[in-house]
Amino acid sequence: MSAPVPPALAALAAARVVDGPPALVFDAAAIDARMAAGAAIARRHRARVLSAAKALPHPALLALARPRLDGVDVAGAAEQALVGDGFGLVSLADPARARWRGAPPPELTISCESVDDVRRARAQAPTASIGLRLSISSLVPGDDAVGALAAGDGHRRSRFGVEVARPGGLATLRAMIAAAAGAPVGVHAHGAGVVYTSPRAWGRLAAAVAALLDEVALAPAFVDLGGGWHGVADELDASLAAVRQALPEVELRLEPGRLWTLGAGFAVGHVRAARELDDRSLRVVSLSRLCHLRWSPVRLLAPPPPPGTGRKVMLVGPTCFEDDDVGQWTLGPGPDGGAPLAVGQPVVLADVVGYALAWNTGFAGVAPAEVVVLDGDRR
């Protein structure tokens, strides 16, 4: 909270109309630098890097990925249209089982979770690789999935992928391998809301994948470990080294999403209404958690309060929904010595993730946020 507001954001906030829509702001130079650094580390470990289209769903941001990365991960038809041409490797992982539309890219992988999925993919795109989606919470028992399916032991397991540890799971996987005969076959072991925060955890997942491959006698064309790499942003090199210990020879693929926008995503809005409660101040701001900030663990950029002056300030969005809660922080008095964040004052939030762009919407009179891409300090 005590981080200063970057000059470009302060200028942007000052120039915006108080009663206008809020803005989601992304620093293209910072994203490009993260991509360059992440790709360099991955290539030292012979890993191919794909960008999750849903994590950067904006033409200017996807344009950064084309020259830096090896490919892109897409879901349905809308993402396929957004991505367009220019990526040599495309991974199609669509829970709705959408078809690939148009001419396939040079390398197309289709993620499958059942024998029927494999057969459908082979019929639709005979030259595509098949990615066998594995349930990560079945691979590494005890790792809770976020949301998903409640298990009998109180844990939650992923709703995606073949559950190899459950009855019939291995038989299903073997049947999928048989149905994919004639195509290159790899495996997808994507996270299920579990963010690994150490090289040891990534090594444990890779070891579980390696053991399963041995059990089903599959020499995979690739192993795709999906996203979640923001949890080891400062230990990416060590994490990939741990993965390579368990999977030394196979083609390795990563699909970072949040990693690219760490420190590069912001939101700018204004205070629309103020109310003082007994235990805190309440501020209605133009930024909505539900419409504009989905999946973003935002921080308010503001100076720390002087000792003994702090007051809890709760920011809520402008929708009529009770749970439109942006967050709560402790702030000092306003410039005039009165309550913090008076009506009309700007609000700047950090740690906005690129996925917020995919969720960005309007609701009941609340406008979608405008999207601003900054190139360094230039708008």
Side-chain angles (χ1 to χ4, degrees), residues 93-344:
D94 184 5
R97 304 295 180 265
R99 295 173 177 267
W100 182 262
R101 298 171 184 268
E107 289 186 78
L108 174 63
T109 294
I110 300 178
S111 185
C112 300
E113 300 186 26
S114 68
V115 172
D116 285 345
D117 281 355
V118 174
R119 290 171 177 160
R120 186 183 302 112
R122 296 289 286 126
Q124 291 175 5
T127 62
S129 300
I130 301 298
L132 308 176
R133 180 81 184 253
L134 306 175
S135 168
I136 194 170
S137 46
S138 188
L139 271 174
V140 187
D143 279 355
D144 256 345
V146 176
L149 306 174
D153 61 0
H155 286 83
R156 303 188 73 85
R157 68 183 199 267
S158 174
R159 67 184 178 93
F160 294 109
V162 181
E163 296 185 286
V164 293
R166 298 179 73 81
L170 284 175
T172 297
L173 185 60
R174 290 190 173 103
M176 292 171 68
I177 295 170
V185 179
V187 296
H188 286 242
H190 292 235
V194 178
V195 178
Y196 291 140
T197 57
S198 72
R200 180 180 178 184
W202 280 106
R204 182 184 61 185
L205 171 61
V209 171
L212 177 65
L213 293 173
D214 286 343
E215 187 168 2
V216 296
L218 176 64
F222 62 87
V223 171
D224 188 333
L225 294 180
W229 298 95
H230 59 288
V232 287
D234 297 327
E235 295 183 282
L236 183 59
D237 188 74
S239 297
L240 289 176
V243 168
R244 274 299 181 201
Q245 283 190 320
L247 297 166
E249 300 299 333
V250 70
E251 178 184 305
L252 184 63
R253 297 180 184 179
L254 321 177
E255 296 178 7
R258 293 174 189 254
L259 178 65
W260 307 137
T261 51
L262 288 178
F266 304 88
V268 176
H270 290 84
V271 178
R272 291 285 179 79
R275 181 182 173 196
E276 298 303 320
L277 307 178
D278 290 342
D279 57 346
R280 73 198 69 193
S281 297
L282 187 68
R283 299 291 182 265
V284 179
V285 298
S286 56
L287 288 158
S288 166
R289 166 70 67 183
L290 304 174
C291 294
H292 312 130
L293 302 171
R294 289 284 189 102
W295 295 6
S296 298
V298 293
R299 291 181 298 120
L300 177 67
L301 295 184
T309 68
R311 178 168 173 79
K312 293 178 183 177
V313 180
M314 185 174 183
L315 306 186
V316 297
T319 70
C320 58
F321 189 60
E322 190 75 51
D323 290 341
D324 195 358
D325 177 4
V326 175
Q328 181 172 280
W329 293 271
T330 301
L331 302 179
D336 59 356
L341 288 181
V343 173

